[in-house]
Amino acid sequence: MYKIAVIPGDGTGPEVIREGLKVLEAAGNKFNFKYETKIFDFGGERYLKTGKTLEDKDIEELRKYSAIFLGAIGHPEVKPGILETGVLLKLRFSLDQYINLRPVKLYNSLYCPLKDKKPEDIDFVVVRENSEGLYKGMGEFKDKGTKDETAIQISYNTRKGVERCIRYAFEYTRKRDKRKKLTLCGKTNVLTYAWDLWERTFYEVAKEYPDITTDYAHVDATTMWFVKNPEWFDVIVTDNMFGDIITDLGAMIQGGMGIAAGGNINPQGVSMFEPIGGSAPKYTGQNVINPLAAICAAGMMLEALGEVKAAKAIEDAVIKLVNTKLKSLAAGKMGCSTSEIGDLIVKSL
Ligand code: IPM
Ligand code: MN
């Protein structure tokens, strides 16, 4: 019996989570696994009412679950930064979800903004470090508010943190068993402390994986190749900030935020799965948002829980749907409503 903590969150989060849960239920029936869910109201509304984001006792409660299924966090009436650090990043950091796993897979060339790229050309996975780097929040102001002000933001990288991420990426590349190629995406030519550590660790760990081909690309060049030659990539490992940036571009070449899912993974603890797009407040309550990213996130969650057949069946149903019924993957243009998409996936399952 799995215990799933559900955080629908803000904006269109609850609408896409509803479809994700529909699909989960159908998958449970078909593949015979049992689970219970509990809904948590963390997010913007709760913050506006109570002034609370996420407390230590909430984290302790969440530790008891098999996984977390998250919609979206972000509210137009809450100052940027509060919910991001107080809810989303707090979850990632306190549950030590040190990997952010973001598959970039094109299911139908119609949805790709790149000319002449087919599904077989865009099929790679970004392993983003999810607990350190610039996201650590280290830094300071000097002479704040004066004309001599300095703002320092530190990229914090530990050997242990870097190594566990790189190791995960090598293991993942081996297990994925596609092209067995792992690319380190960094900036060794300028960020000479952080990327020196990353590069040394990468090539040291690589010695233990002679079956994996290694490669290195600077982050700026990586963005160029995402557009020009995405077929070069199999698995990419990178730090938190670069991973954040390149996966938005990745989402666009796979068809947009409507389809992009990710997992915040703690291989030894509680992982959290989410559509990588935001709360899209302008579409809230209209039944027009694309729930496929949330449905794919539910699939990733099942895969992580060991329900591999169910995960595969969900992906197959998504592939079928985007190659038959859908006009577009963008909100309001899909030719189907949010709830119809959930229903179609359920039917196909
Ligand atoms: C993401 C988001 C978050 C991040 C924000 C909302 C804090 O952009 O999941 O990629 O920067 O990690
Ligand atoms: Mn992001």
Side-chain angles (χ1 to χ4, degrees):
M1 173 76 108
Y2 304 118
K3 284 169 61 113
I4 316 274
V6 181
I7 308 175
D10 302 316
T12 52
E15 286 167 73
V16 298
I17 285 292
R18 201 193 309 124
E19 303 314 310
L21 290 175
K22 248 190 217 172
V23 172
L24 204 60
E25 193 185 335
N29 291 335
K30 173 142 185 165
F31 295 94
N32 272 312
F33 61 83
K34 296 213 173 354
Y35 65 94
E36 57 184 29
T37 54
K38 184 170 172 192
I39 310 273
F40 292 88
D41 64 352
F42 309 126
E45 290 300 331
R46 179 178 185 266
Y47 173 75
L48 290 171
K49 264 187 239 139
T50 66
K52 286 179 178 156
T53 48
L54 201 66
E55 294 167 284
D56 293 342
K57 68 169 176 18
D58 301 324
I59 297 290
E60 288 321 307
E61 168 72 13
L62 290 168
R63 281 190 207 285
K64 299 178 194 150
Y65 286 79
S66 328
I68 303 170
F69 187 32
L70 175 87
I73 299 291
H75 195 292
E77 282 152 52
V78 179
K79 201 176 138 225
I82 294 177
L83 299 171
E84 290 86 340
T85 52
V87 183
L88 187 61
L89 296 180
K90 180 146 188 194
L91 282 165
R92 289 177 183 169
F93 288 159
S94 5
L95 296 172
D96 203 20
Q97 295 163 341
Y98 61 86
I99 298 296
N100 198 324
L101 192 66
R102 297 190 159 180
V104 176
K105 195 163 173 183
L106 177 66
Y107 289 132
N108 179 340
S109 23
L110 276 181
Y111 308 134
C112 184
L114 307 179
K115 198 160 116 282
D116 299 333
K117 294 295 176 193
K118 295 186 248 352
E120 58 268 31
D121 299 321
I122 301 180
D123 182 5
F124 60 89
V125 177
V126 177
V127 176
R128 163 184 175 190
E129 202 291 323
N130 211 30
S131 66
E132 301 191 331
L134 282 165
Y135 277 67
K136 195 79 177 172
M138 286 175 77
E140 62 175 315
F141 292 113
K142 285 186 181 143
D143 305 313
K144 190 172 180 184
T146 72
K147 62 179 179 355
D148 294 318
E149 179 165 353
T150 309
I152 302 172
Q153 191 92 42
I154 292 172
S155 175
Y156 179 88
N157 300 266
T158 64
R159 169 75 197 212
K160 284 199 179 84
V162 170
E163 186 170 329
R164 66 182 180 174
C165 174
I166 286 176
R167 252 176 216 292
Y168 180 94
F170 273 103
E171 288 292 332
Y172 186 87
T173 310
R174 181 180 273 171
K175 197 162 159 243
R176 173 172 152 92
D177 200 18
K178 280 248 158 78
R179 298 182 41 217
K180 294 221 178 172
K181 177 177 161 187
L182 180 62
T183 305
L184 176 68
C185 161
K187 193 71 188 174
T188 53
N189 54 348
V190 177
L191 307 178
T192 50
Y193 297 103
W195 287 97
D196 188 87
L197 172 61
W198 273 84
E199 194 180 34
R200 270 184 286 122
T201 310
F202 183 71
Y203 288 110
E204 264 172 52
V205 175
K207 291 188 195 133
E208 296 169 39
Y209 296 87
D211 52 323
I212 309 293
T213 310
T214 53
D215 193 10
Y216 172 82
H218 292 317
V219 61
D220 47 349
T222 302
T223 63
M224 173 180 82
W225 283 317
F226 271 21
V227 173
K228 205 166 168 286
N229 297 97
E231 65 278 5
W232 287 356
F233 297 108
D234 179 20
V235 181
I236 297 171
V237 61
T238 190
D239 79 355
N240 212 339
M241 186 79 260
F242 292 166
D244 176 49
I245 298 167
I246 67 173
T247 54
D248 266 28
L249 179 55
M252 287 306 120
I253 64 171
Q254 74 178 122
M257 287 300 178
I259 190 85
N264 300 274
I265 313 278
N266 175 342
Q268 289 85 34
V270 186
S271 300
M272 175 168 78
F273 300 84
E274 54 173 343
I276 83 168
S279 57
K282 69 176 181 185
Y283 296 119
T284 305
Q286 297 173 37
N287 204 21
V288 297
I289 194 80
N290 188 346
L292 285 176
I295 291 170
C296 291
M300 289 182 75
M301 174 167 77
L302 287 176
E303 180 168 1
L305 291 172
E307 298 298 332
V308 182
K309 279 190 190 143
K312 173 81 171 53
I314 291 175
E315 192 185 19
D316 289 345
V318 170
I319 294 175
K320 194 174 142 206
L321 181 69
V322 303
N323 282 289
T324 49
K325 285 253 166 34
L326 291 198
K327 291 206 179 74
S328 156
L329 295 177
K333 298 181 183 149
M334 305 170 309
C336 287
S337 67
T338 307
S339 49
E340 274 166 355
I341 292 185
D343 293 341
L344 286 164
I345 297 288
V346 166
K347 207 171 141 204
S348 161
L349 275 180

